[in-house]
Amino acid sequence: SLQSVIAEWEELETEFKELEENHKNYVSKVDEVKNLQAKCVNGIAHQRYRMKQVADNLKKYGKSNDQEIASLYQTIEERKTQFREFEDVLPHKNGIYLSIVLGQVNVSLLSKKDKYLYKQDYEKFKLIVSTISMVLAFCLLFFISSRYLDAAYHFLLVWYYCTLTIRESILIVNGSRIKGWWVAHHFVSTVCTGVLLIWPDGVTYRLFRQQFMIFSVYLSFVQVLQFYYQSGCLYRLRALGERHNMDITVEGFQSWMWKGLSFILPFLFGGYIFQFYNAYTLYHLAFHPQSELQVPVVCFMFFVLASGNAWTTLLVIREKLKS
Amino acid sequence: SLQSVIAEWEELETEFKELEENHKNYVSKVDEVKNLQAKCVNGIAHQRYRMKQVADNLKKYGKSNDQEIASLYQTIEERKTQFREFEDVLPHKNGIYLSIVLGQVNVSLLSKKDKYLYKQDYEKFKLIVSTISMVLAFCLLFFISSRYLDAAYHFLLVWYYCTLTIRESILIVNGSRIKGWWVAHHFVSTVCTGVLLIWPDGVTYRLFRQQFMIFSVYLSFVQVLQFYYQSGCLYRLRALGERHNMDITVEGFQSWMWKGLSFILPFLFGGYIFQFYNAYTLYHLAFHPQSELQVPVVCFMFFVLASGNAWTTLLVIREKLKS
Ligand SMILES: CC(C)(COP(=O)(O)OP(=O)(O)OC[C@H]1O[C@@H](n2cnc3c(N)ncnc32)[C@H](O)[C@@H]1OP(=O)(O)O)[C@@H](O)C(=O)NCCC(=O)NCCS
Ligand SMILES: CC(C)(COP(=O)(O)OP(=O)(O)OC[C@H]1O[C@@H](n2cnc3c(N)ncnc32)[C@H](O)[C@@H]1OP(=O)(O)O)[C@@H](O)C(=O)NCCC(=O)NCCS
């Protein structure tokens, strides 16, 4: 009846008062947080600056064998680590690429959990697109032969690499230590697939098409393998990070990582050799009488990709062996 | 001397203590904010749900001419507006497009000032790229004729429209009332310029090239005009929003807006006619003996763009005339 409706409304009214209170509280807390944020960011910058001065002066005046000075140096190092930890939960400025594509919107993830979820999401995204790409390349290789569908496939790749550069820039803003080369790799890949896209349907295109499709199937397959390695690492690192988790130790992580790496590395280097081989094939095609400008360009890009990948992966292994 | 260095360090130490305190405080405040945020979001959802029930029941039991009931209806409407205001400073979920491209990163702008700055940045971005595009199209029209440079220009356009869709999705998440068509328009434009990109350098391409370049120069010019209109609107709306600002009134804004609109509308409709004309030219080219599949596709896209633009702009004007 009408009476009960009005009673219901009044109940809602009191709940609304509470909500209003919460909201007001929220707005003022957001302000407080912003102020504290600014204080922390400025404070860290100031401390860093002065600490550098102190360290410089120490170098000038101190003797390195002095007990007191040695411990001071150590404290400075510790403090640096602390600042990095502080910054984990502070917002970060976007780099130039993100500023251009997204503008000055804040993409910071302010908790470990959010960071973990974001990274997981990123790996899943790569897995899904890689799987789609594998299936498509397989179909284009064996069943369908149309320059238009090839173009659609190239378009997908351009979009995929472009998206990866954005997501990786977000990861880097949030403190991931992805090597610069992998990001550069995706830029180069974007351009490379872009050039493939506009390669007209001539003799040289047809001569290279089959090899490229086989390469794409293989590459997608390797990326699926990479997913298992990366998400395994991610899962174990997260477990390590949780203090009360006793299932996993640093040694356990290390041994798992090496097992994974030794499984995946032959496939990776297989991929790099394939890229060199693509460059080699294209090099010869470039002398074909009906060669287009696209041929030497793609040749050069495959060469850059292969060299950069091989070089960076070797560096990563050396780093890992050292530590 | 060493003594003074150590004194300096000790001073730094006390400052660090303060920073540490601030940081601890900050971390706990962030948690509080998150909790309050969740409470507000849930509270609003709950209130909305129950309010709908109340409204439904009122319809069933109440007579519309009852004084009490009429005022109840009015309070419900007021409350809806309040909820929308509450939500202005609460984070929003990304739509499907942003979730795919960026992943689940939070792109909410939580203050009016941030929103204003973001929008301004977006307009500036459009201005810069439009100007570049105008100059490039002009050069390609009169001085340089190379399919490769054309492709680079098309690539820029693909990238530009793609970026616009991302930025506009961010604006929409943050409460902008951009009409859905303008976002769809940029998706269609992305595809359209993508197809232009892969159009081989044949007879039909050359027959259409000049017209397209003239169109591009014109379109970029119109976009520069649009920048002055949009940023004028933005500036005045912001001034209106500031309570202590007496320079501007709602009537003042309205009259400025109509002046701007009547200046810009002829150019806009000129652009739509040009788009129809492009579709018309391409329609005839499609019957050319050496026509490629790209011709009818681009023709169709120009037709869609022209119709959608004209239709939406007319709707916007009608809306504005009414209110
Ligand atoms: C060699 C390899 C397996 C080592 O992986 P790893 O053990 O994670 O290496 P690192 O310890 O240097 O990783 C540092 C960070 O970079 C990330 N990362 C490493 N390689 C990456 C890649 N190719 N793409 C994106 N992120 C990568 C890691 O996830 C880690 O992130 P975090 O700081 O957020 O935890 C990895 O770099 C890899 O897969 N490389 C091959 C990529 C490739 O060649 N692809 C295409 C050609 S086939
Ligand atoms: C007709 C027009 C001038 C009206 O602009 P307006 O007065 O801002 O229109 P509205 O009041 O409907 O605007 C609502 C919102 O959408 C935004 N908006 C309107 N048109 C937009 C467009 N074309 N692109 C992006 N955003 C737009 C406004 O900035 C406003 O944002 P806000 O909610 O954050 O304040 C504008 O829609 C326009 O420029 N359209 C033409 C676009 C076009 O045709 N381009 C290409 C072919 S030449």
Side-chain angles (χ1 to χ4, degrees), chain B residues 158-190:
Chain B
V158 172
W159 174 80
Y160 171 59
Y161 286 119
C162 224
T163 307
L164 281 191
T165 58
I166 299 178
R167 288 203 181 207
E168 276 158 14
S169 305
I170 294 177
L171 282 169
I172 288 175
V173 164
N174 287 297
S176 170
R177 287 148 307 128
I178 298 179
K179 295 265 176 306
W181 167 256
W182 301 126
V183 184
H185 169 271
H186 295 136
F187 276 106
V188 178
S189 300
T190 308

Side-chain angles (χ1 to χ4, degrees), chain B residues 119 122 126 168 176-179 182 185 219 222 226 229-230 261 268 272 275 309 313 316 320:
Chain B
K119 181 93 187 226
Y122 159 80
K126 290 207 288 187
E168 276 158 14
S176 170
R177 287 148 307 128
I178 298 179
K179 295 265 176 306
W182 301 126
H185 169 271
L219 189 70
V222 174
Q226 249 171 279
Y229 171 74
Q230 290 288 2
L261 269 182
L268 285 177
Y272 307 155
Q275 286 172 333
N309 285 343
T313 304
V316 169
K320 282 191 195 292

Side-chain angles (χ1 to χ4, degrees), chain B residues 211 215 218 265-281 302 305-307 309-310:
Chain B
Q211 183 174 336
F215 171 70
Y218 180 75
L265 279 175
F267 289 100
L268 285 177
F269 277 95
Y272 307 155
I273 290 168
F274 209 146
Q275 286 172 333
F276 274 122
Y277 177 61
N278 286 343
Y280 173 80
T281 307
F302 270 118
L305 288 178
S307 327
N309 285 343

Side-chain angles (χ1 to χ4, degrees), chain A residues 69-182:
Chain A
I69 290 172
S71 88
L72 227 168
Y73 267 125
Q74 211 195 328
T75 334
I76 289 182
E77 282 312 310
E78 276 167 22
R79 195 127 308 165
K80 277 186 192 162
T81 323
Q82 264 172 315
F83 287 148
R84 243 168 283 141
E85 273 165 26
F86 281 5
E87 280 176 334
D88 262 359
V89 291
L90 287 167
H92 313 273
K93 256 205 128 91
N94 291 349
I96 181 151
Y97 181 61
L98 280 185
S99 311
I100 291 175
V101 174
L102 300 184
Q104 271 309 330
V105 67
N106 177 5
V107 292
S108 302
L109 303 162
L110 294 188
S111 76
K112 283 222 168 113
K113 192 172 153 236
D114 286 350
K115 281 179 202 201
Y116 172 72
L117 289 176
Y118 189 73
K119 180 96 189 220
Q120 209 181 28
D121 192 52
Y122 159 78
E123 295 295 343
K124 222 176 72 196
F125 172 75
K126 291 206 288 185
L127 176 69
I128 293 172
V129 183
S130 296
T131 313
I132 295 175
S133 157
M134 186 153 63
V135 173
L136 284 183
F138 191 84
C139 292
L140 290 172
L141 182 57
F142 289 115
F143 306 124
I144 316 161
S145 178
S146 140
R147 183 62 186 94
Y148 294 117
L149 290 180
D150 286 7
Y153 178 64
H154 295 146
F155 217 90
L156 173 74
L157 292 182
V158 172
W159 175 80
Y160 171 59
Y161 286 120
C162 224
T163 308
L164 281 191
T165 57
I166 299 177
R167 288 204 181 208
E168 276 158 14
S169 306
I170 294 178
L171 281 170
I172 289 175
V173 165
N174 287 296
S176 170
R177 286 147 308 128
I178 299 178
K179 296 266 176 307
W181 167 254
W182 302 126

Side-chain angles (χ1 to χ4, degrees), chain A residues 119 122-123 126 161 168 171 175-179 181-183 185-186 215 218-219 222-223 226 229-230 233-234 237 253 257 261 264-265 267-272 275 305 309-310 312-313 316-317 319-320:
Chain A
K119 180 96 189 220
Y122 159 78
E123 295 295 343
K126 291 206 288 185
Y161 286 120
E168 276 158 14
L171 281 170
S176 170
R177 286 147 308 128
I178 299 178
K179 296 266 176 307
W181 167 254
W182 302 126
V183 184
H185 170 270
H186 295 138
F215 171 70
Y218 180 76
L219 189 70
V222 174
Q223 276 169 352
Q226 249 172 281
Y229 170 74
Q230 291 287 2
C233 273
L234 187 63
L237 276 179
F253 172 73
M257 186 189 77
L261 269 184
I264 209 176
L265 279 176
F267 289 100
L268 285 178
F269 277 95
Y272 305 156
Q275 285 172 332
L305 287 178
N309 285 343
T312 311
T313 304
V316 168
I317 300 169
E319 247 175 46
K320 283 191 195 288

Side-chain angles (χ1 to χ4, degrees), chain A residues 1-2 5-6 8-9 11-13 15-16 19-20 22-23 26 29 32-34 36-37 39-40 43-44 46-47 50-51 53-54 57-58 61 68-69 72 76 79 82-83 86 89-91 99-107 109-110 114 118 121 125 148 151 155 159 163 166-167 194 197-198 293-294, chain B residues 1-2 5-6 8-9 11-13 15-16 19-20 22-23 26 29 32-34 36-37 39-40 43-44 46-47 50-51 53-54 57-58 61 68-69 72 76 79 82-83 86 89-91 99-107 109-110 114 118 121 125 148 151 155 159 163 166-167 194 197-198 293-294:
Chain A
S1 74
L2 189 58
V5 175
I6 288 176
E8 208 183 328
W9 176 256
E11 195 185 318
L12 216 59
E13 195 88 336
E15 280 178 29
F16 177 76
L19 176 62
E20 209 175 12
N22 276 338
H23 190 263
Y26 165 73
K29 280 266 155 64
E32 279 178 48
V33 161
K34 281 211 172 155
L36 278 171
Q37 222 165 42
K39 262 191 202 156
C40 289
I44 292 174
H46 176 74
Q47 286 262 329
R50 300 243 346 237
M51 223 160 70
Q53 285 185 324
V54 169
N57 286 337
L58 268 187
Y61 301 117
E68 191 178 19
I69 290 172
L72 227 168
I76 289 182
R79 195 127 308 165
Q82 264 172 315
F83 287 148
F86 281 5
V89 291
L90 287 167
S99 311
I100 291 175
V101 174
L102 300 184
Q104 271 309 330
V105 67
N106 177 5
V107 292
L109 303 162
L110 294 188
D114 286 350
Y118 189 73
D121 192 52
F125 172 75
Y148 294 117
F155 217 90
W159 175 80
T163 308
I166 299 177
R167 288 204 181 208
L197 177 68
I198 61 174
L293 184 58
Q294 278 84 353
Chain B
S1 74
L2 189 58
V5 174
I6 288 175
E8 205 182 331
W9 176 257
E11 193 185 319
L12 216 57
E13 195 88 337
E15 280 178 27
F16 178 75
L19 176 62
E20 209 174 13
N22 274 340
H23 190 264
Y26 165 72
K29 280 267 155 63
E32 279 179 49
V33 162
K34 281 210 171 157
L36 278 171
Q37 219 165 45
K39 262 191 203 156
C40 289
I44 291 174
H46 175 75
Q47 286 262 331
R50 300 245 343 240
M51 225 160 67
Q53 285 184 325
V54 169
N57 286 336
L58 268 187
Y61 301 118
E68 191 177 19
I69 290 173
L72 228 169
I76 289 182
R79 195 126 312 162
Q82 262 173 316
F83 288 149
F86 282 6
V89 290
L90 287 166
S99 310
I100 290 175
V101 175
L102 301 185
Q104 270 311 331
V105 68
N106 178 4
V107 293
L109 303 162
L110 294 187
D114 286 352
Y118 189 72
D121 191 54
F125 172 74
Y148 294 116
F155 217 91
W159 174 80
T163 307
I166 299 178
R167 288 203 181 207
L197 178 69
I198 61 173
L293 184 57
Q294 277 85 352

